[in-house]
Amino acid sequence: MSRLLVRDLAQLVTFPGTAAPLRGKALGAVEVVEDAFLLCDGERIEAVGRMRDLPELVGDVEEVDGRGFSAAPGLVDCHTHACFAGDRVEEFSLRAAGAGYEELHAAGGGILSTVRATREAGEDGLRAAVRRHLAWMRRAGTTTAEAKSGYGLDRGTELASLRAIRDEGAVPTWLGAHALPPEHPDADEYLDFALTEVLPEAAHLAEAADVFLERGAFDVAQARRYLEACRDAGLVLRLHGDQFTESGAIPLAVELEARSVDHLEATGEEGVHALARSDVAGVLLPASALFLGRPMPPGRALVDAGAVVALATDFNPGSSFCESLPLVCSLACTQLGMAPAEALGACTVNAAHVLGRADRIGRLAPGYRADVLLIAASDWRYVAYHLGGQVVAGTIVGGHRD
Ligand code: NIG
Ligand code: FE
């Protein structure tokens, strides 16, 4: 087993304890070690601490000079749509000239234009696309990413998407209820198809199921039917909810004990408190709100009310062509009223919780996977402060310098 020592770090930041998720004040209770080291043994962290407490190391140890850098847990992106082909740059230009996102979708563009391109890509093409997108994320400091299917919406392409996501090392979510494909214009009839023809195999490939509960997509009754069938097949439940309208996603998520409800740009006070009383995480996607020119989700209110808050990119070609969690942290601080420490906790410990991995990733502590973000600054808060800047000096993934 090879050992790797990162020495003379200006700062190392992590969150104390092993409890997850972090709520309320605990979300911002970051622990900062000045003049620090981090020692990895194989793919796990062996020790972290102050340089003056570094024990003498015998045997082969690869060293990384951390002078001028800070270390944080590798970032965890718990909501992405990384499996797609083609792009939506034409739609982006139309929107810049005033066209509406929902109008474009209703006219057969939007998500459905990506469905057409994704169906044509073939499994090898999808694998290459996922690999390329994950490499972009890695350069932005992400060491674990979730990725959803949902641009196939037929049996072959949905299953190929989930295999591509799994084989390229991301955490697969079956977004079988993303939109209605042209061959199934009726939502109930589409769900008959998806639940009988796709779910049995999707349940073996994916860890979670997701649904887009929104006007023009799936309503509460349809989302309930889809999610109950997915839960019975052993999948963790997640929802896209309150993106444009409050359409009952939070009450349904609470009733079904979903792991998360994501977006929440349209969530009001009642929704904030309902979420805070529950164990359902609210995954906030401020890059998506920015990209679509929509109101920001109520981040400050959710943290203050004690809800479990995570942050993610929502990386996709239509509503958030952004793979950068550091940029999302900047938006959390400038637009959602969150502190840098809260933003970091939301895309490390709490994002790991959303993916069911908080016992393994999201912290820099002995026994955790050696997934590390090296920040190109001696104050770790530059990760949020340097808006759109080159804040990532590198990553360590499973004990290997990337
Ligand atoms: O999370 N809202 C639904 N799905 C994606 C967008 C998908 C797309 O526009 O291609 C989202 O924003
Ligand atoms: Fe999404």
Side-chain angles (χ1 to χ4, degrees):
M1 274 287 184
S2 58
R3 285 164 111 197
L4 178 79
L5 172 70
V6 188
R7 55 178 306 141
D8 298 306
L9 286 157
Q11 293 183 331
L12 178 148
V13 288
T14 187
F15 288 84
T18 53
L22 302 170
R23 296 174 183 258
K25 294 227 180 310
L27 183 61
V30 76
E31 195 173 86
V32 183
V33 184
E34 310 273 350
D35 192 18
F37 75 89
L38 174 123
L39 178 64
C40 314
D41 185 8
E43 63 176 33
R44 309 243 153 244
I45 295 172
E46 182 179 329
V48 299
R50 297 198 61 161
M51 278 306 290
R52 64 167 187 236
D53 301 323
L54 177 65
E56 196 181 323
L57 302 172
V58 286
D60 260 6
V61 182
E62 183 190 337
E63 290 200 359
V64 174
D65 182 359
R67 274 177 297 177
F69 294 157
S70 307
L75 302 177
V76 179
D77 200 341
C78 66
H79 181 140
T80 88
H81 303 252
C83 188
F84 65 85
D87 65 38
R88 303 252 284 280
V89 65
E90 190 53 38
E91 171 186 318
F92 178 74
S93 305
L94 293 172
R95 285 200 300 102
Y101 175 80
E102 287 183 283
E103 277 158 41
L104 290 160
H105 177 68
I111 294 173
L112 292 175
S113 67
T114 302
V115 169
R116 287 190 284 276
T118 302
R119 285 179 174 183
E120 279 167 18
E123 190 155 343
D124 287 344
L126 292 181
R127 247 173 245 276
V130 174
R131 196 176 312 133
R132 183 168 64 249
H133 298 151
L134 292 176
W136 293 353
M137 292 181 200
R138 180 67 56 79
R139 280 203 290 279
T142 296
T143 53
T144 301
E146 178 257 20
K148 303 171 198 299
S149 67
Y151 290 122
L153 306 178
D154 62 22
R155 185 173 191 278
T157 317
E158 282 298 305
L159 297 176
S161 299
L162 293 173
R163 283 192 295 269
I165 292 164
R166 179 198 62 186
D167 294 350
E168 294 304 323
V171 180
T173 297
W174 182 46
L175 179 50
H178 194 193
L180 294 178
E183 66 278 16
H184 296 286
D186 178 78
D188 294 296
E189 191 267 324
Y190 170 69
L191 290 179
D192 290 342
F193 155 78
L195 295 175
T196 50
E197 302 293 324
V198 190
L199 173 61
E201 207 164 326
H204 292 295
L205 294 166
E207 296 190 12
D210 200 340
V211 55
F212 186 21
L213 201 177
E214 188 54 77
R215 65 182 175 202
F218 296 89
D219 67 19
V220 169
Q222 291 154 352
R224 179 186 280 109
R225 177 177 164 218
Y226 171 80
L227 291 171
E228 281 177 345
C230 290
R231 180 189 59 197
D232 294 347
L235 293 169
V236 162
L237 304 184
R238 304 186 57 182
L239 296 86
H240 279 67
D242 293 2
Q243 183 180 9
F244 300 107
T245 56
E246 276 193 296
S247 299
I250 290 178
L252 183 64
V254 173
E255 176 196 325
L256 297 181
E257 298 179 357
R259 180 67 58 74
S260 75
V261 53
D262 306 31
H263 272 290
L264 308 180
E265 289 94 315
T267 300
E269 222 174 294
E270 212 177 302
V272 166
H273 290 286
L275 210 52
R277 284 192 301 270
S278 79
D279 290 331
V280 181
V283 178
L284 309 182
L285 311 166
S288 168
L290 181 76
F291 203 76
L292 295 185
R294 304 283 310 165
M296 288 286 161
R300 183 73 260 147
L302 284 163
V303 174
D304 287 344
V308 178
V309 171
L311 286 165
T313 61
D314 197 22
F315 173 74
N316 75 76
S319 71
S320 182
F321 196 49
C322 170
E323 69 277 15
S324 170
L325 279 171
L327 183 63
V328 166
C329 287
S330 297
L331 293 173
C333 296
T334 60
Q335 309 300 308
L336 307 188
M338 291 170 69
E342 293 171 331
L344 185 70
C347 60
T348 54
V349 176
N350 281 1
H353 163 76
V354 170
L355 299 184
R357 285 162 168 73
D359 57 339
R360 280 164 277 167
I361 58 171
R363 283 183 166 90
L364 297 181
Y368 277 70
R369 216 176 114 85
D371 289 351
V372 185
L373 167 65
L374 293 172
I375 301 163
S378 54
D379 187 317
W380 73 270
R381 293 173 298 182
Y382 270 57
V383 74
Y385 168 54
H386 197 170
L387 182 73
Q390 300 290 317
V391 289
V392 178
T395 52
I396 293 168
V397 181
H400 293 284
R401 183 78 211 258
D402 207 31

